[in-house]
Amino acid sequence: MKINYHLFMIALRQLLNRKRQTFLTLSGISVGVMVLITAVSLMDGLLQSFIQKIVEIAPHVIVSGEKVRPTVPDQLVESHGNTHVTFIKNVSREDQEVIKNYPRIESLIQRDSLVELISPSVSTDVIGMFGTISEPIQLFGIIPALEDGIEKFSKNMISGSLSDLEKTPDGIMLGSSVAKDFTSRVGDRMQIVAPSGQIFSVRVVGIFMTGINDIDDNCYVNLRLGQNIGGFSPDEASNLYIRVNNLSRDGLVARTIEQETNYRAITWEEKAASVVALFKMISGIVYFLVFFVIMVAGFGVANVLITNVLEKVRDIAVMKSLGFKRSEITWIYLIQGIMVALVGATIGCVLGFVLIEIMSSIPMASSSASTIRTDHLMMGKNPMYFVGASIFALIVSMVAAVGPSRSAARVNPVEILRGER
Amino acid sequence: MDEPIIRLDHISKKLSVKNGGEEIVTKILVDISFDIAQGEFTAITGPSGSGKTTLLYLMGGLDRPDTGRAFLDGQEISAMEEEELAEMRNAKLGFVYQFHFLLPEFSAVENVMMPMLARGRASTGEARRRAAELLSELGLSDRLHNKPNQLSGGQQQRVAIARALANSPKVLLADEPTGNLDSKNAETIYKLFSDLNTRTGQTIVVVTHDEHFASETKRILHILDGQVSSDRQLR
Ligand SMILES: Nc1ncnc2c1ncn2[C@@H]1O[C@H](COP(=O)(O)OP(=O)(O)O)[C@@H](O)[C@H]1O
Ligand SMILES: [Mg+2]
């Protein structure tokens, strides 16, 4: 049907006639839309900054020593009649899973044009000692130039430098948490107790801080020294860290590696899956709560419309006696719902935009010297927040308007006009 | 004379009121039949509660008879659906009530525009022009933009009459239009009705208590206990 100008006029006049109530309803919708937009922006921003940080500073694919298909017992040692003794696994070295002959594996992986960088590393749990302090630390042996391509140390150094590690065979680079625990500085000498019991003397050449606790708890030495401390042979590595040049294809890269090398390869998404899921669950709860705010605003819309219908029942009867269609009467109140929603949503969008700007400019004590240092709250920015929240408010208002509109259309003019005295 | 504009054919209307478990049925109108010709000016008189308003609403398609048939302009309105009735009221009838029943948020001219704008019948511009014209004819040219509460009782009722005339109705139905007015204002309204009738041949049916008003019309239908007790042609 054609919605004519006069229906808008009637709808608008009735709303303006109840200025205070209309204003309160508008405020309800505005605040609801504002809170929804801001909450979505906040949650989205948190998730995005988290993912961005991971992608920036974590390997896209990690290859570990775990075998995808268990090794087939292939070394028959002895046979006595029905008894067979086979050699399955050498458990002598603490049952460590390592990548054997890693340079060969690397060259295999390197053939994939999606692979940008491969950084081999060994990791060992050791005891660090400095002065009277001794503490367990996780020690990584790395090739500094390669590992820097993954973890971006050179951008996160708070003292010393990565090139000093390269130049110093017995150098060690400490994560900021470790450095703080040991109160050690660049130039200090400290001891590392290897799992074998052997003690290595190392010199602190650098301290870094990424802002990610897991990484700032670690210490790094050159690969060769790391292999010595951990008892690895020179062609063994614990992990290969890989950066790819197309993030959306990292799953493909991982699967290819598993197939070709039989070593387990996991992507950053797989590794962070539980954290991302947690984020999503928290966002879900937040949205759910915010939806209630808009629902309550919807009750406000229903309230103002019901009041308008009840108060205007005589005018509705008069309009019907003048020959207004049922649908025209219905539209008058639907239009009121739509008007309140549109105006409220518009105000809410403006307020939401302002609030997001304000919140994203709030300074935050930075816990890191990272490349992606967040010195203020990271808020998601996406026009869809505004569109989505407005559509939601519109739907809620329309639903709220249906009841009052229908009861307006059902008014029987005779009953009302007779009763009016 | 050609076909009557209004024809009531053995109309009855009952009212049933639930009182506790009992249903009390009151007869409001009993077997009423009469015709009203085009151009007639008819008064319906009778004591309070005799059924005059009910009768007027039945003629105007606002209400439906229980038995009998009602015709307007050759169409049986007693058989029409609600939406058909609404369209018919909009196109062919004008109502004036004891109370002006103007929409309070709208100016005089906007109130008169309403029946023209309903159902998308006329454009806003056209409607505004015709509404201003009608109001001027009724002596309200200087009150076009006043809201109802800024008008006197007589002026309000004249705006209501202009609204009833907006779509050039076949029949103007009025239910005690002077019931709320002082005698001077009432006099203006009487004159207005008879002028309309003589000047434009407007068919008018008016319910009134007022003997004087009734005597100005051409025909008086007297209702008593839901029946036509007398039907006098005056002129
Ligand atoms: N909705 C109603 N509820 C109760 N009584 C009604 C109703 N409609 C009509 N009546 C009764 O029907 C009778 C006729 O009413 P009405 O047509 O208004 O008479 P009049 O207009 O002549 O005063 C009255 O007795 C009135 O009380
Ligand atoms: Mg009456």
Side-chain angles (χ1 to χ4, degrees):
Chain A
M1 83 153 256
K2 210 167 83 198
I3 304 165
N4 284 288
Y5 161 82
H6 65 290
L7 300 180
F8 281 98
M9 280 311 295
I10 296 169
L12 186 63
R13 295 275 175 96
Q14 287 196 1
L15 281 177
L16 292 180
N17 207 36
R18 307 192 56 80
K19 283 200 185 63
R20 201 179 40 174
Q21 212 190 349
T22 303
F23 175 76
L24 287 175
T25 309
L26 273 181
S27 312
I29 293 278
S30 306
V31 170
V33 167
M34 177 191 76
V35 172
L36 179 58
I37 288 172
T38 313
V40 173
S41 162
L42 183 64
M43 297 314 293
D44 221 26
L46 283 175
L47 184 60
Q48 273 175 23
S49 64
F50 172 75
I51 289 174
Q52 196 182 324
K53 216 161 194 175
I54 288 182
V55 169
E56 185 78 21
I57 212 164
H60 297 160
V61 179
I62 300 173
V63 183
S64 67
E66 187 194 335
K67 291 281 201 294
V68 179
R69 295 172 296 275
T71 357
V72 188
D74 53 354
Q75 297 192 33
L76 196 60
V77 176
E78 269 184 285
S79 249
H80 296 291
N82 271 348
T83 317
H84 305 282
V85 177
T86 56
F87 171 89
I88 298 172
K89 208 168 187 184
N90 184 352
V91 293
S92 65
R93 214 175 52 200
E94 291 184 347
D95 196 15
Q96 270 201 3
E97 288 176 326
V98 296
I99 300 170
K100 302 219 171 67
N101 196 1
Y102 81 82
R104 193 181 61 82
I105 303 289
E106 272 189 359
S107 58
L108 217 59
I109 295 171
Q110 197 74 66
R111 290 201 314 229
D112 192 334
S113 61
L114 289 168
V115 172
E116 194 178 273
L117 179 79
I118 307 174
S119 170
S121 63
V122 291
S123 81
T124 317
D125 293 322
V126 299
I127 308 287
M129 295 195 298
F130 179 67
T132 56
I133 307 160
S134 68
E135 246 185 51
I137 50 178
Q138 192 167 23
L139 186 76
F140 287 84
I142 56 167
I143 298 170
L146 291 178
E147 188 69 7
D148 189 41
I150 307 271
E151 309 212 39
K152 308 287 191 304
F153 291 121
S154 52
K155 289 180 187 162
N156 291 319
M157 300 304 293
I158 50 181
S159 67
S161 77
L162 191 73
S163 54
D164 288 347
L165 180 65
E166 264 178 322
K167 283 181 277 183
T168 319
D170 64 344
I172 185 168
M173 192 168 67
L174 306 181
S176 59
S177 320
V178 181
K180 206 170 130 211
D181 289 350
F182 284 108
T183 64
S184 58
R185 299 199 199 129
V186 169
D188 289 341
R189 275 214 163 264
M190 53 185 290
Q191 273 72 45
I192 298 291
V193 183
S196 62
Q198 199 184 344
I199 295 176
F200 294 81
S201 173
V202 292
R203 194 154 62 83
V204 180
V205 294
I207 296 170
F208 65 89
M209 183 164 90
T210 61
I212 297 173
N213 291 340
D214 275 357
I215 298 179
D216 291 344
D217 280 343
N218 298 338
C219 297
Y220 294 83
V221 297
N222 284 295
L223 183 62
R224 192 69 216 102
L225 179 57
Q227 285 169 331
N228 277 344
I229 294 173
F232 297 91
S233 56
D235 66 347
E236 285 179 345
S238 312
N239 292 108
L240 299 176
Y241 289 170
I242 296 169
R243 275 188 84 81
V244 296
N245 50 32
N246 182 348
L247 249 190
S248 58
R249 312 278 295 276
D250 58 354
L252 185 71
V253 173
R255 298 294 81 83
T256 312
I257 291 171
E258 288 192 342
Q259 219 156 49
E260 291 186 350
T261 68
N262 197 29
Y263 285 116
R264 177 69 69 204
I266 61 170
T267 63
W268 70 269
E269 286 108 327
E270 288 162 352
K271 200 159 178 249
S274 60
V275 185
V276 172
L278 182 69
F279 259 107
K280 295 214 162 128
M281 196 183 80
I282 294 171
S283 317
I285 293 169
V286 170
Y287 299 159
F288 185 69
L289 292 177
V290 173
F291 282 169
F292 273 105
V293 177
I294 293 198
M295 286 305 196
V296 171
F299 285 122
V301 174
N303 181 48
V304 74
L305 294 190
I306 289 168
T307 317
N308 272 348
V309 171
L310 287 179
E311 213 176 55
K312 293 290 168 196
V313 72
R314 193 196 75 190
D315 293 349
I316 294 166
V318 171
M319 286 190 274
K320 288 194 93 176
S321 80
L322 291 179
F324 276 69
K325 291 183 200 168
R326 251 169 183 269
S327 59
E328 287 178 301
I329 304 290
T330 309
W331 271 111
I332 288 174
Y333 293 93
L334 286 181
I335 289 170
Q336 290 189 6
I338 295 170
M339 279 178 172
V340 170
L342 286 184
V343 176
T346 307
I347 297 172
C349 283
V350 172
L351 292 179
F353 183 80
V354 171
L355 195 58
I356 289 174
E357 288 301 314
I358 292 174
M359 284 176 74
S360 58
S361 69
I362 291 175
M364 279 210 327
S366 170
S367 65
S368 79
S370 158
T371 41
I372 37 161
R373 178 210 300 265
T374 45
D375 44 14
H376 39 250
L377 202 56
M378 183 150 165
M379 302 289 287
K381 285 178 186 171
N382 185 337
M384 285 316 289
Y385 305 158
F386 297 90
V387 176
S390 300
I391 288 177
F392 184 56
L394 193 62
I395 290 172
V396 168
S397 297
M398 293 279 283
V399 170
V402 167
S405 308
R406 289 175 56 121
S407 60
R410 273 199 298 267
V411 165
N412 177 0
V414 176
E415 269 171 36
I416 308 299
L417 296 178
R418 267 189 175 287
E420 284 290 330
R421 286 288 113 94
Chain B
M1 204 71 188
D2 32 36
E3 207 180 327
I5 193 79
I6 288 175
R7 155 162 287 181
L8 298 187
D9 185 13
H10 301 288
I11 290 284
S12 294
K13 179 83 181 168
K14 292 189 295 259
L15 181 78
S16 46
V17 182
K18 281 253 164 64
N19 186 359
E22 276 175 284
E23 199 176 18
I24 302 169
V25 180
T26 332
K27 290 177 176 173
I28 303 178
L29 296 175
V30 188
D31 196 34
I32 290 189
S33 299
F34 61 77
D35 290 355
I36 288 177
Q38 191 125 27
E40 258 190 329
F41 185 12
T42 310
I44 297 178
T45 59
S48 188
S50 55
K52 306 183 295 296
T53 297
T54 309
L55 185 59
L56 200 75
Y57 285 179
L58 286 172
M59 288 191 267
L62 274 171
D63 210 349
R64 255 184 267 260
D66 294 325
T67 58
R69 302 193 297 170
F71 297 85
L72 182 99
D73 198 21
Q75 285 177 289
E76 185 180 349
I77 58 176
S78 45
M80 283 184 183
E81 296 292 324
E82 188 194 316
E83 282 295 284
E84 265 182 291
L85 278 176
E87 181 167 12
M88 192 271 309
R89 287 198 300 272
N90 183 249
K92 299 187 174 173
L93 289 165
F95 288 92
V96 180
Y97 308 90
Q98 183 175 354
F99 303 89
H100 60 79
F101 288 156
L102 296 173
L103 305 182
E105 300 92 358
F106 291 89
S107 67
V109 78
E110 288 166 333
N111 265 287
V112 178
M113 286 162 70
M114 285 300 164
M116 297 185 258
L117 296 177
R119 321 188 77 85
R121 169 182 289 271
S123 75
T124 314
E126 273 169 69
R128 191 175 293 278
R129 221 170 308 120
R130 165 133 176 92
E133 211 176 273
L134 270 169
L135 286 168
S136 303
E137 275 172 34
L138 300 190
L140 291 167
S141 51
D142 56 344
R143 290 284 180 276
L144 298 185
H145 304 294
N146 291 59
K147 296 271 170 71
N149 62 8
Q150 299 164 327
L151 298 172
S152 73
Q155 289 169 337
Q156 288 169 341
Q157 203 58 307
R158 274 185 282 160
V159 175
I161 292 167
R163 179 176 67 182
L165 296 172
N167 285 335
S168 313
K170 298 267 182 195
V171 183
L172 178 64
L173 299 171
D175 191 4
E176 305 193 35
T178 59
N180 257 357
L181 300 178
D182 58 45
S183 56
K184 189 164 159 291
N185 274 311
E187 190 68 42
T188 319
I189 301 293
Y190 304 156
K191 249 192 77 43
L192 220 155
F193 274 77
S194 38
D195 272 5
L196 260 176
N197 178 252
T198 46
R199 203 161 41 81
T200 66
Q202 176 72 55
T203 313
I204 300 174
V205 181
V206 57
V207 169
T208 185
H209 270 328
D210 190 321
E211 289 299 322
H212 175 59
F213 190 1
S215 66
E216 299 278 308
T217 65
K218 295 180 180 167
R219 177 185 179 187
I220 300 178
L221 276 164
H222 192 73
I223 308 292
L224 207 59
D225 296 332
Q227 285 174 299
V228 180
S229 76
S230 76
D231 182 353
R232 286 185 294 145
Q233 207 75 35
L234 301 184
R235 313 194 156 80

